[in-house]
Amino acid sequence: MATPWDQAYKHIIPLDFNSVNSVPDSFVWSQSDVIQPDNGLFIPIIDLMDSNAPKLIVEACETWGVFQLKNHGVRTKIMEDIESEARKLFDLPIDQKLKAVRSPDGLSGYGIVPIQSLFSTFMWHEGLTLFGSAIDHAKALWPHDYQQFSDTIDEYQSQMKALAEKVTGILFRALSIPVEDLNWFDDPTNRSGCNLALQLNSYPPCPEPTRTLGLAPHTDTSIVTILQAKTSGLQVFKDGVGWIPVEPEPEAIIVNLGDFTHLLSNGRFISVLHRVVVKPIQRYSMGYFYRPPKDFVVSPLLSKDLGPGEVPRYRSIIAKEYHELKANCKHYEKAFSLIEN
Ligand code: OGA
Ligand code: NI
């Protein structure tokens, strides 16, 4: 029977998560999607202050596509502030949150996770997607008290951008991609229109955590994604092993590679497949998606290391075109195969 909830909000947030004590059918994923044995493996933890860090990061990207980073230089205060702003947002009553709702053709705003459109089963998740400033959404949410949210988002994004550039710089150097030639790289004004996004994620407490997923398996459409989460839930897939839980180290930040790095490295670096499982307790995470500008041509040929013996596995593709291709692919590996030479 249709409830008022279905009629009003289903396209935005498919469920009033607080009102149910079981997982509705439309959220039930098959058991094989959800449950996995514990294999006792851990992803690498790297100290950015270690003189070996660049080498360790490159190795982690070749074998895992994901690692945790300690001594990353992002201040603890801003990491705490962003989490408390996320909590403040997701704690609002639904009617209030809908004031920042994503418009049907828009990209930024509150609602269902953007990758939901690729799956027919719902995920136990709500989120806020931001591109640049959050001031308009903040004003809609808190007309008299928007500054703190907006300032925290600005500060967090600028710290994430600096960190993402550090990591990207290490990877591009390893690939002999001359960062000096990239007009968007390290541009403080961001004039080149980098297509950077911040995603605040909330995974509400789930009464039957083994029946559903917080995020379905996917790879990120980014160069690198920097993720902050205090609690477990994220799992990464390793070929030949299976799903491995990521246990966040206190104060560390999780870095995972996205599809663009896989393409730029001619397949050397892994765009890691990952998913989120839910718990009986609330979980928040903040994902910063570092991407090139939409008109950037992503090509393995940018790498000066691609020698005479090595052929480009992928054709060149404009970042915007790749985004569109991926948005229409039902399977994460499909996008790569479509542009394989
Ligand atoms: C994402 C993502 C992981 C998490 O937002 O793309 O994979 O732990 N998030 O929330
Ligand atoms: Ni992701």
Side-chain angles (χ1 to χ4, degrees), residues 112-138:
I112 219 161
V113 67
I115 60 164
Q116 180 67 67
S117 60
L118 304 177
F119 300 90
S120 51
T121 305
F122 285 124
M123 303 172 210
W124 203 265
H125 172 279
E126 59 177 324
L128 180 76
T129 312
L130 297 165
F131 288 82
S133 169
I135 190 116
D136 293 341
H137 290 310

Side-chain angles (χ1 to χ4, degrees), residues 199 201 203 215 218 220 227 229 233-234 274 276 283 285 287 289:
Q199 171 82 23
N201 295 306
Y203 305 93
L215 281 188
H218 66 282
D220 290 349
L227 187 83
L234 175 65
H274 54 286
V276 177
R283 175 173 184 268
S285 75
F289 296 79

Side-chain angles (χ1 to χ4, degrees), residues 45-91:
I45 301 174
I46 299 170
D47 182 341
L48 194 55
M49 304 286 268
D50 181 340
S51 56
N52 260 333
K55 181 171 164 282
L56 298 172
I57 288 175
V58 167
E59 280 171 14
C61 292
E62 288 170 335
T63 46
W64 291 87
V66 62
F67 54 92
Q68 296 199 56
L69 200 56
K70 290 196 307 190
N71 287 319
H72 41 66
V74 180
R75 281 184 279 115
T76 312
K77 166 98 171 65
I78 189 68
M79 293 177 69
E80 282 168 359
D81 287 353
I82 190 86
E83 177 147 352
S84 78
E85 292 303 312
R87 177 173 291 121
K88 188 168 97 185
L89 165 77
F90 292 116
D91 275 354

Side-chain angles (χ1 to χ4, degrees), residues 169-246:
I170 291 170
L171 298 178
F172 281 12
R173 271 186 286 281
L175 296 170
S176 303
I177 295 176
V179 288
E180 324 62 82
D181 294 357
L182 305 176
N183 63 359
W184 49 274
F185 198 86
D186 206 14
D187 173 2
T189 60
N190 204 12
R191 268 178 320 228
S192 52
C194 273
N195 178 15
L196 310 169
L198 178 65
Q199 171 82 23
L200 307 183
N201 295 306
S202 163
Y203 305 93
C206 183
E208 297 176 295
T210 55
R211 301 188 72 209
T212 188
L213 280 175
L215 281 188
H218 66 282
T219 60
D220 290 349
T221 311
S222 64
I223 292 180
V224 293
T225 305
I226 303 193
L227 187 83
Q228 174 184 332
K230 268 211 190 97
T231 56
S232 60
L234 175 65
Q235 300 188 342
V236 297
F237 190 81
K238 187 154 172 55
D239 271 344
V241 178
W243 290 102
I244 296 167
V246 176

